[in-house]
Amino acid sequence: MIYLDNAATTPLTPSVINSIAEVMTEDFGNPSSIHAFGRKANHRLRQNRQIIADYLSTNPRQIIFTSGGTESNNTAIKGYALANQAKGKHLITTEIEHHSVLHTMQYLEERFGFEVTYLKPENGRITADSLKKALRDDTILVSMMFANNETGDLLPIAEVGQILKDHQAVFHVDAVQAFGKVSINPEELGIDFLSASAHKFHGPKGVGILYTTPLHFDNLLHGGEQEEKRRASTENMIGIAGMAQALSDSQAHQADNWKHISQLKETFLSELEGLDFYVNATDKVMPYVVNIGFPGQNNGLLLTQLDLSGFAISTGSACTAGTVDPSHVLMSMYGKDSARLQESIRVSFSDVNTIEEVTQLAQKLKEIVGK
């Protein structure tokens, strides 16, 4: 099997597995315990938190360990909105966000009477100008992803941060697809909350972070006093160690990884020469994701044929009970009647993929689509 669905999850690398095994066998103590085992675990916890903070060029006290991107998104949006609704009940996000953002917004609308403005792409792109027009005096939070998980499109984070600089609204960024792949300085970008998930950059599943400035927000979990009383629950030391190792590895090779991924994408598209296809994206994208469509080809059938041929990709949309739902991202970009919704597939790369693998995928697509 050739795995090219890295936007969904990435494989663990040997160094990450080794770091996890070390915690499982040696540092199994509870970091809240005061005896030697606990102190040793707490020391490792502080070291790992510092690694995350250094990547974001921030203070380690700004980092909250969570169970992943979904919890981080829920905590930032739900926690802040509910704690600060006296300031206003208007929220802004985009139509192309991950469902962990969209469904959280819908929950606040339906259960607590918040009003949410969903920004629509203009010529395929979310613009800072559309955000500026939607901003109101009673807007208290703006949530926008750093890079889209289906198309790789980069959103105007720096521009939005500048617009919100003199506004009461806080800025939440879902950086799940970008974290570990590009340099991110939330303080320079004007970001108040930032979400990330380890399994998108070769870390384990079930662990992530929420970066936060010193803001008041409601806790979603109540119990102990972990994470400076902001997130109850014994820290997932195994996952955190794996995440910190994966981030350290990614940082050490960030420029080389970007160059390698760009070569994979360029090779893949060039090898498709002769086929009729289109790419769903703007001109500002991360090379890690290619959303591509073939006129007249059903993406569900194509995905199955590729799977049977040994290639793991996706449509970039939710699969439930054997059926493929149309992509809400492509629907927002091109309209609900666009043929692209039934024709497009997502190929996503990681640094462990090779030129040979993407060449083989291109050849298989030419074989299938050509017939």
Side-chain angles (χ1 to χ4, degrees), residues 81-156:
L82 293 177
N84 295 275
Q85 53 189 309
K87 299 177 182 178
K89 300 189 74 169
H90 181 237
L91 314 172
I92 300 175
T93 189
T94 82
E95 291 184 351
I96 65 171
E97 299 298 310
H98 189 269
H99 283 124
S100 61
V101 168
L102 295 176
H103 290 170
T104 300
M105 292 289 184
Q106 291 164 11
Y107 171 79
L108 291 172
E109 286 181 292
E110 296 167 3
R111 295 293 299 275
F112 296 96
F114 283 84
E115 183 181 352
V116 182
T117 297
Y118 297 89
L119 303 179
K120 187 176 181 63
E122 299 173 3
N123 298 318
R125 177 180 293 134
I126 299 294
T127 66
D129 188 54
S130 66
L131 177 279
K132 193 172 185 179
K133 292 176 181 177
L135 206 59
R136 303 183 338 200
D137 290 342
D138 62 338
T139 306
I140 62 169
L141 180 141
V142 174
S143 181
M144 184 178 293
M145 57 184 10
F146 198 107
N148 187 263
N149 56 304
E150 294 194 23
T151 65
D153 279 318
L154 291 164
L155 278 71

Side-chain angles (χ1 to χ4, degrees), residues 39-112:
R39 294 196 303 273
K40 187 178 180 183
N42 188 270
H43 177 68
R44 180 183 281 270
L45 182 65
R46 292 198 306 272
Q47 286 182 317
N48 291 336
R49 197 187 305 275
Q50 188 66 56
I51 290 171
I52 308 295
D54 288 345
Y55 169 71
L56 293 173
S57 301
T58 192
N59 188 297
R61 296 186 69 179
Q62 310 289 82
I63 307 300
I64 302 173
F65 289 118
T66 69
S67 64
T70 293
E71 183 192 335
S72 296
N73 288 343
N74 271 260
T75 300
I77 299 168
K78 203 181 297 178
Y80 186 82
L82 293 177
N84 295 275
Q85 53 189 309
K87 299 177 182 178
K89 300 189 74 169
H90 181 237
L91 314 172
I92 300 175
T93 189
T94 82
E95 291 184 351
I96 65 171
E97 299 298 310
H98 189 269
H99 283 124
S100 61
V101 168
L102 295 176
H103 290 170
T104 300
M105 292 289 184
Q106 291 164 11
Y107 171 79
L108 291 172
E109 286 181 292
E110 296 167 3
R111 295 293 299 275
F112 296 96

Side-chain angles (χ1 to χ4, degrees), residues 75-343:
T75 300
I77 299 168
K78 203 181 297 178
Y80 186 82
L82 293 177
N84 295 275
Q85 53 189 309
K87 299 177 182 178
K89 300 189 74 169
H90 181 237
L91 314 172
I92 300 175
T93 189
T94 82
E95 291 184 351
I96 65 171
E97 299 298 310
H98 189 269
H99 283 124
S100 61
V101 168
L102 295 176
H103 290 170
T104 300
M105 292 289 184
Q106 291 164 11
Y107 171 79
L108 291 172
E109 286 181 292
E110 296 167 3
R111 295 293 299 275
F112 296 96
F114 283 84
E115 183 181 352
V116 182
T117 297
Y118 297 89
L119 303 179
K120 187 176 181 63
E122 299 173 3
N123 298 318
R125 177 180 293 134
I126 299 294
T127 66
D129 188 54
S130 66
L131 177 279
K132 193 172 185 179
K133 292 176 181 177
L135 206 59
R136 303 183 338 200
D137 290 342
D138 62 338
T139 306
I140 62 169
L141 180 141
V142 174
S143 181
M144 184 178 293
M145 57 184 10
F146 198 107
N148 187 263
N149 56 304
E150 294 194 23
T151 65
D153 279 318
L154 291 164
L155 278 71
I157 300 303
E159 296 93 323
V160 171
Q162 191 63 33
I163 291 170
L164 297 178
K165 188 176 181 180
D166 299 317
H167 194 281
Q168 70 161 352
V170 299
F171 191 20
H172 166 249
V173 173
D174 175 355
V176 166
Q177 289 295 332
F179 197 89
K181 300 167 185 172
V182 298
S183 297
I184 303 174
N185 187 322
E187 292 167 17
E188 286 186 358
L189 293 171
I191 297 171
D192 298 294
F193 291 109
L194 182 140
S195 304
S197 188
H199 75 105
K200 304 297 187 179
F201 52 93
H202 301 299
K205 298 173 184 64
V207 65
I209 64 105
L210 175 64
Y211 159 87
T212 174
T213 51
L215 294 167
H216 173 57
F217 59 93
D218 286 351
N219 295 342
L220 300 190
L221 300 178
H222 299 90
E225 298 186 353
Q226 293 87 359
E227 300 302 292
E228 298 193 7
K229 302 181 181 180
R230 298 173 298 184
R231 197 263 186 182
S233 183
T234 301
E235 288 90 352
N236 175 6
M237 293 296 296
I238 295 170
I240 291 169
M243 174 169 60
Q245 182 63 52
L247 184 59
S248 294
D249 294 344
S250 297
Q251 269 194 290
H253 304 287
Q254 185 171 288
D256 290 338
N257 287 346
W258 185 276
K259 182 179 179 180
H260 175 63
I261 298 297
S262 298
Q263 290 176 336
L264 292 179
K265 177 180 177 180
E266 183 180 340
T267 299
F268 174 62
L269 294 177
S270 65
E271 287 291 329
L272 290 176
E273 186 178 351
L275 278 185
D276 184 13
F277 70 90
Y278 52 82
V279 176
N280 300 308
T282 67
D283 57 350
K284 293 184 178 180
V285 297
M286 291 182 64
Y288 286 77
V289 177
V290 178
N291 196 301
I292 189 169
F294 302 91
Q297 299 292 321
N298 178 272
N299 56 7
L301 179 58
L302 186 56
L303 185 153
T304 301
Q305 290 174 300
L306 288 170
D307 184 41
L308 292 173
S309 300
F311 296 92
I313 61 161
S314 73
T315 60
S317 54
C319 295
T320 307
T323 62
V324 179
D325 296 328
S327 162
H328 73 282
V329 173
L330 298 186
M331 189 180 298
S332 180
M333 292 174 68
Y334 302 111
K336 62 182 179 63
D337 297 322
S338 174
R340 295 180 184 234
L341 275 62
Q342 283 76 43
E343 295 173 345

